[in-house]
Amino acid sequence: MDWINAIIQGILLGGLYALFAAGLSLIFGVMRLVNIAHGDFIVLAAFLGLSVTSVLGISPLLALLLVVPAMAALGYVLQRGILNQTLGDDILPPLLVTFGLSVIIQNGLLEIYSADPQKMSAGPIETASIALPGDLNVGVLPLIMFLVAVVVIAGLQWVFYRSALGRAFRAVSDKQDIAELMGLNKAHVFGLAMALSLAVVAIAGVFLGIRTSFDPSIGPGRLIFGFEAVIIGGLGNLWGTLIGGIILGVSQNIGAQINPGWQLLAGHIAFLFVLAVRPRGLFPRID
Amino acid sequence: MTTTTYSISRSSTVTRTAAVVGILVVAGLIAAPWWAGRADMRLLSEMFLYLSLACLWNLLAGYAGLVSVGQQAFVGFGGYMLFALAIFAGVSPIVAIPLAGILGALVAVPVALLIFRLRGAYFAIGTWVIAEVFRLSFAQISALGGGSGTSLPVAIVRGMASNRSMREATTYWLALGMAVLVLVVIYMLLRSRNGLALTAIRDSEVASESFGIDIWRHKFVVYIIAAGLTAMTGALIFLQKLRISPDAAFNVNDWTAFVIFIVVIGGIGTLEGPIIGVIVFFLLRETLSDLGTTYLLILGVVAIVVMLKAPKGLWGTLKERTGLELFPLSRRVVKNKSDK
């Protein structure tokens, strides 16, 4: 039963990892930009959530109403102000500039909030659980997180393939100059993509902050999980990202079940195994 | 009658002068134990080791297009190999350093086979995953202290030299020797056929492939050489520290972020860049380190501003304006006038 439990909890944890990964996958798909500061943005969102909940005295889930637009606005401004200048054939500028941003966010958070671990409380919902047959229990909160992940990914999928904004994303991603000739403002479209990415990051960050304790230094670890989920699932495939997150969550939980010291290692090994066998991921987008 | 002939030359008065000055500087640095204090020597050793790391990262990113943010994997691996060889096999640290380098190069082979499947920025984060795997794996080895690490036994440290000042001089010379070795290896590599191929690949992958250059093999060779020398540098770093732990050995800030900063400030894709970068980095560190986190904030801002405003770094910008080059690497056509 312990094993089945570990797998179920791993699947639910995978939802959170998919949320880490979705934003990363989205901006890579649109502008081939890999955001090294992605994990630090997740932590920043968690701290913003913490500040909003403690100042206004509201539930972290309500705080999302403020954190999501704030992060989206930050994403748009950063993209227009700094990141657009780094885009081109060379991969170094975006990599190094987001690396610099990562250092700035980590140390800025350290300065403001100190290195103490923090946690947000979502009230009685945190301990509520649903009993399943066979002595299994599923936490209500992890279940909500998983369902939100599914809804977010379905939403992104819809935006990307069914909306005018998604058409702009795909057009700019395919051929920037021709998209511009058709009247699209590349800088603006990229700004919107980063805004959407950080809106998803905001949800991921607040959920992370409810689920576990966090401190300013944990960003890079979240970036790695997100990145692994993207590669396992297959580059550019949003549903693949969800499956990648689930595989990562399940392998971590199985690893932890064998030996607590192997939790993270098991996730990394699952990632390296997929890389060795299917370098383009399990479900690469056909293009 | 005056005829004009042309020849291709690599050296110039500047490079010959630079070579002489360089040799004089190295000679002065070798003599440091007789003129410098203990603290100065420690600082210089640290600069030499950072210079090695920076030159090697620059070789990967600036010449081979392999942007890695996981070089701490090899720094930590080299450090741990030094400790393991010295503690379990009773190997003298001086012998263990090159052995750590060879082991580092060997372990880089399977790593490269895996990680070369990823492109560009995904390669970068993939290398980071490898470094994490190394960190978590070494944290599981209880014989090496597990998560809390271990110290180099006093007997082994004492065995290196008869007294403390001799031991400090030895580690200093090893660090200086490492930096010189790295510079010489990279210089020779860049002047060889392999270097020509690397330059061609950097300028155009498609064109160089059509000329029959095996891009994968050239990048692979560079990656293995860089990994081996990085592991040797790592062994020296932890020989100086005398203590190792997974978090210190595989620290992304210490062994990769600062190194990237050094290369970017100095000028990526030049041999001179890392030298300038190390000097600037240590000047900043020695003057601003009292500021704590603010110092790192400043470092982050400086890195972003340099990348956006002067992506070629200090030396690259200077080179672009003046054509100055201290290491004779590029070829230029020289006009010779002669009377016949």
Side-chain angles (χ1 to χ4, degrees):
Chain A
M1 254 333 122
D2 285 349
W3 294 97
I4 297 173
N5 186 47
I7 291 169
I8 292 176
Q9 305 306 330
I11 292 172
L12 297 181
L13 178 61
L16 185 62
Y17 291 167
L19 280 178
F20 293 169
L24 208 58
S25 180
L26 174 80
I27 52 163
F28 181 79
V30 175
M31 48 192 157
R32 298 281 174 270
L33 178 117
V34 171
N35 180 5
I36 297 268
H38 190 79
D40 302 295
F41 281 119
I42 294 173
V43 179
L44 174 66
F47 275 107
L48 275 183
L50 181 76
S51 288
V52 171
T53 46
S54 60
V55 169
L56 299 181
I58 52 172
S59 148
L61 296 175
L62 272 176
L64 279 174
L65 293 175
L66 286 170
V67 179
V68 170
M71 290 298 288
L74 175 69
Y76 186 83
V77 170
L78 266 180
Q79 189 66 40
R80 291 299 296 261
I82 299 176
L83 295 173
N84 270 341
Q85 297 177 50
T86 67
L87 295 176
D89 290 335
D90 192 359
I91 64 149
L92 257 175
L95 204 76
L96 294 183
V97 168
T98 52
F99 210 74
L101 279 178
S102 157
V103 173
I104 292 172
I105 296 171
Q106 273 182 47
N107 289 288
L109 289 175
L110 195 62
E111 194 95 321
I112 300 168
Y113 293 97
S114 86
D116 297 339
Q118 308 278 356
K119 199 182 163 304
M120 276 182 274
S121 168
I125 199 174
E126 273 191 57
T127 47
S129 67
I130 302 166
L132 294 183
D135 255 4
L136 292 171
N137 279 298
V138 173
V140 171
L141 198 64
L143 197 61
I144 292 176
M145 289 181 190
F146 184 82
L147 292 176
V148 168
V150 173
V151 169
V152 164
I153 287 177
L156 286 177
Q157 188 81 12
W158 182 84
V159 166
F160 212 72
Y161 291 102
R162 295 274 179 276
S163 72
L165 179 63
R167 198 159 59 237
F169 283 165
R170 283 178 289 136
V172 176
S173 158
D174 287 346
K175 268 273 181 290
Q176 295 188 5
D177 31 0
I178 293 179
E180 291 213 284
L181 285 177
M182 296 294 141
L184 287 173
N185 179 352
K186 189 175 80 181
H188 177 64
V189 173
F190 284 171
L192 291 177
M194 187 54 93
L196 193 54
S197 168
L198 287 204
V200 177
V201 156
I203 300 172
V206 169
F207 278 170
L208 171 79
I210 299 171
R211 194 191 155 93
T212 57
S213 60
F214 55 96
D215 67 72
S217 70
I218 65 160
R222 306 318 106 175
L223 165 73
I224 288 180
F225 294 159
F227 157 78
E228 287 178 334
V230 171
I231 299 276
I232 293 174
L235 272 179
N237 183 339
L238 283 165
W239 287 115
T241 299
L242 178 64
I243 296 169
I246 290 173
I247 290 175
L248 191 61
V250 170
S251 28
Q252 283 188 356
N253 272 11
I254 289 179
Q257 191 72 29
I258 299 168
N259 177 340
W262 291 354
Q263 184 179 4
L264 298 181
L265 206 50
H268 294 325
I269 288 167
F271 160 75
L272 292 177
F273 180 76
V274 172
L275 191 60
V277 185
R278 297 280 302 260
R280 301 196 57 205
L282 298 176
F283 311 99
R285 198 182 58 177
I286 299 138
D287 55 4
Chain B
M1 179 189 162
T2 310
T3 54
T4 314
T5 56
Y6 296 94
S7 62
I8 292 171
S9 164
R10 281 183 144 175
S11 57
S12 66
T13 323
V14 177
T15 63
R16 281 186 288 269
T17 316
V20 174
V21 173
I23 289 167
L24 289 176
V25 168
V26 171
L29 288 172
I30 290 173
W34 289 279
W35 56 261
R38 190 166 268 166
D40 296 329
M41 270 169 55
R42 281 201 76 84
L43 186 65
L44 280 171
S45 304
E46 210 187 336
M47 286 178 75
F48 299 147
L49 295 170
Y50 263 105
L51 178 61
S52 305
L53 293 179
C55 289
L56 291 165
W57 191 82
N58 182 39
L59 173 70
L60 286 177
Y63 287 97
L66 295 167
V67 182
S68 162
V69 289
Q71 286 311 96
Q72 70 273 20
F74 299 107
V75 173
F77 181 82
Y80 265 106
M81 286 306 106
L82 172 88
F83 275 54
L85 287 166
I87 295 172
F88 303 131
V91 178
S92 139
I94 313 276
V95 182
I97 292 161
L99 285 179
I102 293 168
L103 291 170
L106 285 176
V107 83
V109 173
V111 168
L113 291 177
L114 260 184
I115 213 71
F116 274 37
R117 290 159 173 257
L118 296 170
R119 304 244 120 240
Y122 278 88
F123 171 87
I125 312 185
T127 57
W128 197 348
V129 173
I130 297 284
E132 282 297 291
V133 169
F134 277 39
R135 181 176 69 86
L136 295 165
S137 305
F138 278 102
Q140 295 295 317
I141 303 174
S142 51
L144 286 165
S148 51
T150 186
S151 298
L152 204 58
V154 180
I156 294 170
V157 181
R158 289 233 173 93
M160 272 178 65
S162 49
N163 57 50
R164 183 171 169 180
S165 61
M166 197 56 212
R167 196 169 65 239
E168 280 175 349
T170 309
T171 48
Y172 169 83
W173 284 323
L174 286 171
L176 174 60
M178 190 67 222
V180 173
L181 173 74
V182 165
L183 277 171
V184 169
V185 168
I186 293 176
Y187 175 70
M188 303 290 275
L189 185 75
L190 291 178
R191 281 187 66 120
S192 70
R193 280 176 66 84
N194 208 314
L196 198 58
L198 281 181
T199 318
I201 294 169
R202 185 190 57 188
D203 291 345
S204 167
E205 283 213 7
V206 180
S208 46
E209 201 158 20
S210 72
F211 276 114
I213 294 173
D214 186 342
I215 294 175
W216 193 94
R217 190 173 58 89
H218 281 286
K219 289 189 171 182
F220 181 76
V221 168
V222 169
Y223 188 78
I224 303 298
I225 292 175
L229 290 171
T230 302
M232 264 179 87
T233 311
L236 276 170
I237 288 171
F238 288 95
L239 179 62
Q240 275 210 324
K241 293 189 186 290
L242 300 176
R243 189 178 159 69
I244 198 163
S245 69
D247 290 340
F250 300 98
N251 192 308
V252 64
N253 276 341
D254 288 350
W255 315 129
T256 298
F258 291 160
V259 167
I260 294 178
F261 178 84
I262 288 170
V263 177
V264 170
I265 294 286
I268 193 163
T270 65
L271 266 188
E272 295 88 347
I275 302 176
I276 308 283
V278 163
I279 295 169
V280 172
F281 174 73
F282 275 83
L283 280 176
L284 279 178
R285 202 187 75 170
E286 294 303 301
T287 47
L288 298 176
S289 59
D290 292 343
L291 298 175
T293 49
T294 314
Y295 152 67
L296 290 166
L297 279 172
I298 294 172
L299 223 54
V301 173
V302 170
I304 292 179
V305 170
V306 169
M307 203 65 232
L308 292 179
K309 300 296 170 201
K312 295 191 156 127
L314 291 174
W315 186 263
T317 309
L318 187 71
K319 188 179 164 186
E320 203 170 44
R321 299 223 170 120
T322 60
L324 194 65
E325 198 182 43
L326 299 184
F327 289 90
L329 283 175
S330 57
R331 295 168 176 79
R332 64 189 97 209
V333 177
V334 183
K335 206 187 232 177
N336 309 305
K337 280 198 176 122
S338 56
D339 293 312
K340 275 193 181 160

